[in-house]
């Protein structure tokens, strides 16, 4: 009899991931997963080593969003695990499919709290923040653990899944035959959820009876990659639409039905609002408040039945995946049955024209130092001809102005702070790695600082990322004063005249300091042509921003007097 060959847990994890088409890992190496990172690379997987697990996790989350396959983040036990958890929770909140795999310490010692190296009951710590959390305690269960994590991450509403692998499991060995039988190739992990025909008919009736219908597209609609059906149906109805931030470009922002330039008017006036992959959360003021018409009726297309009626009553829910729902709507809508009235379209167009003119005046002004408009205009113009470019946009004013100024022309190309307002370089790296396309990351100076060290990662892997740091010397503004009268800087102030461009030069990247739109344009153009990691310090007027950007209404104020802005 031939001697049986043994295989270890490390190898089984790599085999299980590869068997299921997962080819990329984002992480930070250390005990007990160092050999897992090496083995993954040796076995042909792409491994991207970061400087902090949170950035690695953000990269994994956005990779999941872009590919519809779970993005994998690999972390060490306890502190590395917790660093990654922010990104896992962010994935769950934003409905990105992601799996955080973490090594963990000796269960027997951890459970008796005897003070192990990096001791933490990680699976239970992860549970409240994850869509699902699993722990593998035997090597023969690795295949099942990976399969369950994949199903949980991508099925229904996607989310973040935690998979705990103990050091013992990684090091354990198993007979080769038993090991290969233990692996699971998942079948149909994100099965179509076809909505009922009654729900589709009900929605069509509500929309056909509407006088002033409006569609709101959320990032769920972008995630679905049902771009052709979505566009065809929206165009067949003539209904105006508003894209949420990451849904911009699903239909181009310059599409005649895009009502973004008349946002306040359409929210106030619409009598029927159809949400497609968009939740009525804080980003839409919960569908309540002064910007919403109280009498509006709602149609909602969502993959999760539990989303329905969460904030406003939904007259016509369509529960199903967006792709199936759009196909069903296309099939069931008779030509001409739903037609947005021309009076409604004309009224919207009149508002759009006014607002577009106002925006143009702001973009045409050329103040010195640059303000947000004049700097963003450079990117708006460049991106208009380059739909291949990913735009990552984070910060407060930098984010809010960026969303309004930069038109998107292709689906899933705008990646931003999202539901939670996160910041850092993770999305830029994840997008560059996943697509190979150029990425422009437009970051507030505070936003950039959350993970500025990841420029070393960008340079090490030679990623085509152009970072524009909108340097206004602070969180929101750079001109606040110490209310105690002392000489220390105010809480929202960052270093004045910092030269962020010098940082990337330490790693062989290219730095520019741009003080006007011409030099900014030249720098971005050169960076895109060279595909070299680049950081542009964009000097922005420290008084140009507003506190909390465009969400001042959410910022409680104390009795402290506010200096004039
Ligand atoms: C992890 C985290 N910590 C803190 C915040 C609070 N916060 C919101 S915006 C922001 C930074 C805004 O400054 P900047 O990025 O420079 O943008 P600006 O408004 O100056 O353009 C901060 C710290 C946050 N959103 N996330
Ligand atoms: Mg700033």
């Amino acid at each position: 009899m031939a001697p049986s060959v043994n295989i270890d847990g490390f190898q089984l994890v790599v085999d299980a991931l590869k068997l299921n088409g997962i080819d990329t890992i984002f992480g930070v190496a250390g005990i007990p997963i160092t050999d897992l990172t090496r083995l993954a690379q040796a076995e042909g997987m792409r491994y991207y080593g970061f400087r902090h697990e949170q950035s690695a996790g953000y990269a994994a989350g956005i990779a999941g969003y872009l590919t519809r396959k779970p993005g994998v983040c690999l972390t060490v036990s306890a502190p590395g695990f917790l660093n990654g958890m922010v990104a896992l929770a962010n994935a769950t909140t934003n409905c990105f499919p992601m799996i955080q795999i973490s090594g963990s310490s000796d269960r027997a010692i951890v459970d008796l709290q005897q003070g192990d190296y990096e001791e933490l009951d990680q699976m239970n710590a992860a549970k409240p923040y994850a869509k699902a959390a699993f722990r593998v305690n035997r090597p023969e269960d690795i295949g099942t653990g990976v399969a369950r994590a994949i199903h949980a991450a991508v099925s229904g509403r996607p989310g973040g899944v935690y998979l705990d692998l103990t050091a013992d499991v990684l090091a354990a060995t198993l007979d080769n035959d038993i090991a290969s039988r233990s692996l699971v190739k998942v079948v149909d992990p994100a099965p179509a959820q076809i909505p009922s025909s009654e729900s589709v008919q009900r929605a069509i009736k509500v929309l056909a009876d509407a006088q002033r219908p409006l569609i709101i597209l959320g990032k769920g609609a972008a995630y679905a990659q049902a771009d052709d059906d979505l566009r065809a149906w929206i165009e067949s109805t003539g209904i105006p639409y508003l894209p949420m931030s990451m849904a911009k470009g699903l239909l181009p922002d310059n599409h005649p039905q895009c009502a973004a330039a008349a946002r306040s008017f359409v929210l106030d006036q619409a009598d029927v609002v159809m949400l497609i992959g968009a939740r009525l959360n804080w980003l839409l003021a919960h569908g309540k408040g002064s910007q919403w018409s109280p009498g509006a009726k709602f149609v909602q297309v969502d993959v999760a039945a539990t989303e329905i009626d969460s904030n406003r009553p939904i007259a016509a829910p369509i529960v199903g995946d967006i792709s199936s729902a759009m196909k069903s709507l296309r099939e069931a809508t008779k030509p001409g049955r739903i037609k947005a009235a021309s009076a409604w379209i004309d009224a919207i167009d009149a508002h759009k024209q006014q607002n577009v003119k106002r925006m143009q005046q702001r973009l045409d002004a050329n103040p010195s130092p640059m303000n947000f408009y004049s700097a963003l205009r450079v990117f708006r113009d460049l991106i208009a001809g380059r739909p291949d470019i990913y735009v990552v946009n984070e910060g407060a004013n930098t984010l809010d102005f960026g969303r309004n100024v930069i038109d998107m022309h292709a689906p899933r190309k705008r990646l931003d702070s999202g539901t939670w307002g996160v910041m850092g370089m993770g999305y830029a790296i994840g997008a560059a790695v996943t697509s190979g396309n150029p990425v422009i990351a437009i970051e507030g100076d505070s936003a950039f600082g959350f993970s500025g060290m990841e420029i070393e990662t960008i340079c090490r892997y030679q990623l085509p990322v152009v970072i524009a740091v909108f340097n206004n010397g602070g969180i929101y503004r750079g001109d606040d004063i110490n209310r105690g009268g002392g000489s220390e800087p105010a809480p929202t102030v960052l270093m004045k005249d910092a030269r962020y461009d010098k940082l990337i030069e330490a790693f062989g990247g290219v730095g520019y300091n741009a003080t006007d739109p011409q030099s900014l344009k030249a720098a971005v153009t050169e960076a895109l042509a060279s595909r070299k990691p680049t950081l542009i310090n964009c000097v922005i007027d420290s008084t140009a921003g507003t506190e909390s950007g465009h969400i001042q209404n959410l910022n409680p104020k104390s009795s402290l007097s506010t200096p004039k802005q």
Side-chain angles (χ1 to χ4, degrees):
M1 212 172 94
S4 67
V5 188
N6 279 344
I7 179 170
D8 62 29
F10 293 105
Q11 183 73 49
L12 269 171
V13 175
V14 173
D15 290 350
L17 293 172
K18 282 177 65 179
L19 181 66
N20 286 293
I22 293 175
D23 56 11
T24 306
I25 294 176
F26 305 93
V28 178
I31 296 172
I33 50 123
T34 311
D35 261 4
L36 187 55
T37 61
R38 292 196 182 108
L39 187 68
Q41 197 171 49
E43 295 276 331
M45 293 183 79
R46 298 194 298 172
Y47 176 80
Y48 292 90
F50 282 68
R51 306 305 297 260
H52 191 285
E53 292 84 356
Q54 191 181 110
S55 312
Y58 286 156
I62 212 69
Y65 170 72
L66 293 172
T67 63
R68 296 172 58 83
K69 282 197 299 195
V72 172
C73 172
L74 185 59
T75 59
V76 303
S77 22
F81 156 81
L82 284 173
N83 282 347
M85 275 313 294
V86 172
L88 192 77
N90 179 62
T92 304
T93 302
N94 281 280
C95 317
F96 298 157
M98 171 183 162
I99 301 173
Q100 181 179 343
I101 300 178
S102 190
S104 61
S105 300
D106 190 314
R107 284 242 51 79
I109 302 175
V110 171
D111 285 350
L112 256 181
Q113 296 157 49
Q114 292 174 307
D116 200 8
Y117 168 73
E118 296 189 341
E119 176 178 296
L120 185 71
D121 180 2
Q122 295 171 192
M123 182 183 72
N124 285 308
K127 267 186 186 161
Y129 307 108
K131 189 179 167 194
F134 304 100
R135 178 160 51 225
V136 178
N137 285 300
R138 303 182 302 185
E140 60 268 39
D141 291 334
I142 287 172
T144 302
V146 169
R148 298 205 70 187
I150 293 171
H151 281 287
V154 296
S155 62
R157 166 167 289 174
V161 177
Y162 177 61
L163 184 63
D164 193 280
L165 302 176
T166 64
D168 284 350
V169 159
L170 289 168
T173 56
L174 204 60
D175 175 83
N176 205 4
D177 289 340
I178 299 173
S180 48
R181 275 199 303 276
S182 74
L183 294 180
V184 180
K185 183 164 171 47
V186 299
V187 177
D188 198 14
Q193 280 181 234
I194 298 161
S196 73
S197 59
E198 296 97 287
S199 70
V200 173
Q201 290 300 343
R202 190 186 300 119
I204 290 173
K205 177 158 182 7
V206 172
L207 289 164
D209 291 347
Q211 303 299 308
R212 296 177 305 282
L214 172 69
I215 289 169
I216 298 182
L217 298 171
K219 67 177 171 296
Y223 174 78
Q225 300 195 13
D227 309 338
D228 293 345
D229 283 323
L230 193 77
R231 182 169 181 160
W233 185 77
I234 291 176
E235 287 182 340
S236 78
T237 64
I239 300 177
Y241 68 89
L242 281 181
M244 298 302 289
S245 196
M246 282 175 60
K248 277 165 71 79
L250 205 39
L251 280 77
D253 278 341
N254 58 2
H255 190 284
Q257 284 170 253
C258 182
R263 182 187 164 90
S264 315
F265 176 72
V266 291
L267 286 179
D268 181 61
Q269 292 290 312
D271 64 344
V272 170
V273 177
M274 180 187 203
L275 303 158
I276 305 181
R279 293 168 288 179
L280 275 181
N281 58 17
W282 71 275
L283 285 155
L284 286 169
H286 307 280
K288 300 166 189 163
S290 57
Q291 57 176 307
W292 284 91
S293 123
K297 265 189 174 179
F298 284 86
V299 176
Q300 183 163 27
V301 186
D302 203 285
V303 74
T306 48
E307 187 60 37
I308 307 302
D309 294 336
S310 61
N311 286 275
R312 290 264 307 244
I314 304 298
I318 300 181
V319 175
D321 72 275
I322 306 286
S323 184
S324 302
M326 296 322 296
K327 281 195 177 67
S328 302
L329 277 164
R330 274 190 83 181
E331 278 163 25
T333 309
K334 295 201 181 73
R337 176 91 203 278
I338 302 174
K339 205 79 223 156
S342 54
W344 172 227
I345 303 298
D346 292 347
I348 295 171
D349 282 346
H351 277 82
K352 271 166 71 172
Q353 273 168 26
Q354 272 175 23
N355 290 337
V356 167
K357 213 184 262 138
R358 215 171 295 152
M359 169 70 90
Q360 199 57 50
Q361 282 163 359
R362 290 178 180 140
L363 293 174
D364 287 344
N366 199 359
S368 179
M370 289 189 282
N371 65 10
F372 290 95
Y373 286 110
S374 56
L376 285 164
R377 183 194 178 149
V378 170
F379 293 97
R380 170 192 169 104
D381 293 349
L382 278 166
I383 284 156
R386 291 288 304 269
D388 58 315
I389 293 176
Y390 283 84
V391 177
V392 175
N393 188 196
E394 296 164 336
N397 291 279
T398 304
L399 167 77
D400 293 334
F401 285 108
R403 181 172 51 240
N404 291 347
V405 170
I406 299 175
D407 283 342
M408 300 308 297
H409 305 276
R412 293 170 295 283
K413 288 296 192 306
R414 182 182 162 85
L415 312 172
D416 67 25
S417 304
T419 316
W420 252 10
V422 299
M423 302 175 203
M425 299 315 301
Y427 286 1
I429 298 174
V433 164
T434 305
S435 67
N437 290 14
V439 176
I440 296 180
I442 304 170
E443 303 277 319
D445 48 346
S446 167
F448 170 72
F450 278 92
S451 59
M453 195 64 195
E454 299 299 348
I455 54 177
E456 189 273 337
T457 310
I458 292 168
C459 290
R460 186 163 20 103
Y461 291 99
Q462 285 296 301
L463 299 174
V465 176
V466 185
I467 305 161
V469 175
F470 273 35
N471 186 354
N472 64 349
I475 298 175
Y476 316 132
R477 291 166 71 93
D479 63 343
D480 202 5
I481 50 160
N482 181 332
R483 314 299 168 102
S487 60
E488 291 193 335
T492 57
V493 162
L494 296 172
M495 188 169 276
K496 199 171 154 50
D497 302 327
R499 288 289 301 272
Y500 292 97
D501 51 312
K502 302 265 185 208
L503 289 174
I504 201 164
E505 291 173 359
F507 308 111
V510 183
Y512 295 94
N513 186 45
T515 52
D516 57 55
Q518 292 72 31
S519 58
L520 178 55
K521 183 176 174 188
V524 187
T525 308
E526 275 175 42
L528 288 173
S530 74
R531 287 178 63 94
K532 284 196 184 128
T534 299
L535 194 154
I536 307 166
N537 185 56
C538 304
V539 180
I540 305 284
D541 182 354
S542 65
T543 68
T546 51
E547 172 118 350
S548 306
H550 295 181
I551 48 174
Q552 288 164 58
N553 57 316
L554 300 179
N555 190 35
K557 283 285 184 198
S558 73
S559 55
L560 189 71
S561 68
T562 317
K564 286 208 173 64
Q565 289 190 358

